[in-house]
Amino acid sequence: MSTIARAYLATSATSPLEPGVIERREPGECEVRIAIGFVGICHSDIHTARGDWSGVKYPVVVGHEIVGVVEAAGSNVTRHAVGDRVGVGCFVDSCRNCENCLAGEEQYCLAGSTSTYNSVGRDGLQTAGGYSTSIVVDENYVLRIPDGMLLAAAAPLLCAGITMYSPLRNWNAGPGKRVAIIGMGGLGHMGVKIAAALGAEVTVLSQSLKKQEDALRLGAQHYYATSDPATFEILTSRFDLIINTVSADINIDEYLSLLALDGTMVLVGLPPKPLTHRAWSLVGFRRTLAGSKMGGIRQTQEMLDFCAANGLGAEVEIIPASKINDAYERVLASDVRYRFVIDAGTF
Ligand code: NAP
Ligand code: ZN
Ligand code: ZN
């Protein structure tokens, strides 16, 4: 017996998202059904809905910054109970046996983790994400939302939050470290908040000066506009760690020149086109160019608890489902302050 959920679907790369219905299976023994409260709009949703990356199967229901309340639980569920506030991020399953799964890095599962949307689930069906009224997920891939955290502000933590927390922790952002965040959108603004809470000296590199006041309010000490060529002279060899959230074509060599000796640039933004850079940009100061994808379940819970302990949440603009297509245009125009979150009651 399945449940019918209301949803918003992308039916092709060029059509606007539109309302419809999807089926959700009854929760299995180890699964919960979550009544979705809010879902964030990640730029990855837009890349997927618009076919920027290959392999999209339409119709697709995107959305992987999901928060809500458990409304049904299978007989063997022990980690969550009906009524609990929970979240789901970018993946809903993985093999659980490979070395990466065993290390708690399920997002790097060697058999391929199952993405929350546009993947094939254990039931052989295409996974459908959070732009819907409910979702059924194995309890091991469901996070606890700490008490006291506002649900809407928590939603973006499930992707944007963990995608920034993970590299900040893995590359030891903290006191005495100079960290720069390129792009202050959904990911970037969480990066500023988390890096500041970790005690790092935070600089925002944004295209214009429009977000300067906000960046300083969120915890950045410094802010520079990358449209000003002087920025790259002033900041040469400055940073220990740069996290690049930009999904457009940018001159990577210019930004690598801002890394100090042994500094690292971590790519988290996913531009559709290949990136190129000169070898000398790394060789010159023993620099590293790295990448990072979300975070594992254990680290995601750690991030949620860290955010709760430090009073952090996303800066959100809550919208009804009817405004999704307008919101997409605003994200593409870098005009989001700083994450759109859809009220799932409006699907
Ligand atoms: P977003 O909200 O659109 O933020 C991206 C920011 O990049 C913009 O707000 C803008 O900030 C800056 N930007 C945009 N166009 C630019 C350009 N032409 N040149 C320089 N800067 C530009 O997007 P998001 O949701 O944070 O996602 C960012 C990227 O990360 C996407 O590619 C997404 O798919 C990817 N992503 C990756 C992971 C992962 O696990 N690695 C997880 C989630 C998302 P300013 O106005 O401040 O310049
Ligand atoms: Zn995302
Ligand atoms: Zn695995």
Side-chain angles (χ1 to χ4, degrees):
M1 245 214 343
S2 55
T3 308
I4 299 293
R6 294 191 309 281
Y8 258 62
L9 298 91
T11 54
S12 81
T14 49
S15 38
L17 271 61
E18 56 186 70
V21 292
I22 55 170
E23 263 183 54
R24 296 293 192 187
R25 63 180 178 271
E26 275 307 290
E29 284 179 355
C30 299
E31 293 182 324
V32 294
R33 186 171 66 235
I34 301 164
I36 299 177
F38 297 96
V39 59
I41 294 182
C42 176
H43 205 122
S44 300
D45 299 348
I46 305 177
H47 286 308
T48 302
R50 304 239 165 143
D52 291 345
W53 301 327
S54 57
V56 182
K57 198 171 152 236
Y58 298 96
V60 65
V61 177
V62 297
H64 58 204
E65 293 184 334
I66 301 166
V67 290
V69 174
V70 175
E71 63 174 5
S75 53
N76 287 345
V77 168
T78 56
R79 294 163 66 98
H80 309 284
V82 170
D84 284 0
R85 296 170 359 126
V86 294
V88 176
C90 302
F91 58 94
V92 289
D93 207 351
S94 66
C95 86
R96 307 169 197 213
N97 290 316
C98 73
E99 58 187 291
N100 295 348
C101 281
L102 293 174
E105 302 276 15
E106 302 90 346
Q107 74 280 28
Y108 303 117
C109 174
L110 294 172
S113 58
T114 305
S115 300
T116 304
Y117 56 76
N118 195 45
S119 229
V120 178
R122 286 275 161 97
D123 54 8
L125 302 175
Q126 189 189 23
T127 52
Y131 290 16
S132 62
T133 46
S134 69
I135 189 166
V136 175
V137 182
D138 183 292
E139 65 162 340
N140 292 300
Y141 296 80
V142 173
L143 288 306
R144 286 185 311 282
I145 304 299
D147 293 341
M149 195 176 244
L150 290 174
L151 220 43
L157 302 181
L158 276 303
C159 174
I162 185 59
T163 300
M164 300 306 285
Y165 181 83
S166 189
L168 287 166
R169 287 304 306 269
N170 295 345
W171 275 274
N172 300 314
K177 294 276 170 146
R178 290 173 164 171
V179 174
I181 308 284
I182 314 178
M184 205 171 91
L187 265 57
H189 94 288
M190 282 315 307
V192 171
K193 289 190 176 201
I194 293 169
L198 288 168
E201 182 182 321
V202 184
T203 300
V204 169
L205 302 173
S206 183
Q207 294 166 92
S208 71
L209 290 173
K210 285 186 213 158
K211 302 175 182 173
Q212 181 164 21
E213 227 174 87
D214 289 343
L216 300 179
R217 177 174 55 82
L218 301 186
Q221 269 108 323
H222 314 283
Y223 183 104
Y224 292 88
T226 53
S227 51
D228 181 354
T231 290
F232 292 93
E233 285 168 34
I234 297 166
L235 299 177
T236 301
S237 295
R238 171 75 62 101
F239 301 107
D240 302 303
L241 178 64
I242 298 179
I243 307 209
N244 178 2
T245 76
V246 177
S247 54
D249 235 355
I250 57 171
N251 183 337
I252 291 292
D253 290 300
E254 269 187 335
Y255 289 90
L256 287 172
S257 76
L258 308 185
L259 287 172
L261 177 64
D262 284 327
T264 300
M265 179 191 286
V266 183
L267 304 177
V268 293
L270 292 163
K273 284 198 206 141
L275 291 171
T276 53
H277 67 86
R278 288 193 297 271
W280 188 247
S281 301
L282 298 176
V283 170
F285 287 87
R286 202 164 59 198
R287 296 166 172 140
T288 303
L289 180 60
S292 182
K293 185 172 75 164
M294 295 97 74
I297 294 294
R298 190 170 57 221
Q299 198 177 38
T300 304
Q301 191 63 57
E302 179 188 306
M303 175 276 308
L304 287 166
D305 296 341
F306 174 86
C307 287
N310 288 278
L312 307 183
E315 307 286 299
V316 300
E317 185 172 334
I318 299 173
I319 57 164
S322 57
K323 295 280 188 223
I324 292 175
N325 294 299
D326 298 339
Y328 275 21
E329 293 310 317
R330 282 187 52 198
V331 172
L332 290 168
S334 301
D335 180 29
V336 50
R337 300 284 194 285
Y338 283 86
R339 200 54 139 185
F340 288 108
V341 168
I342 309 160
D343 176 350
T346 62
F347 282 124

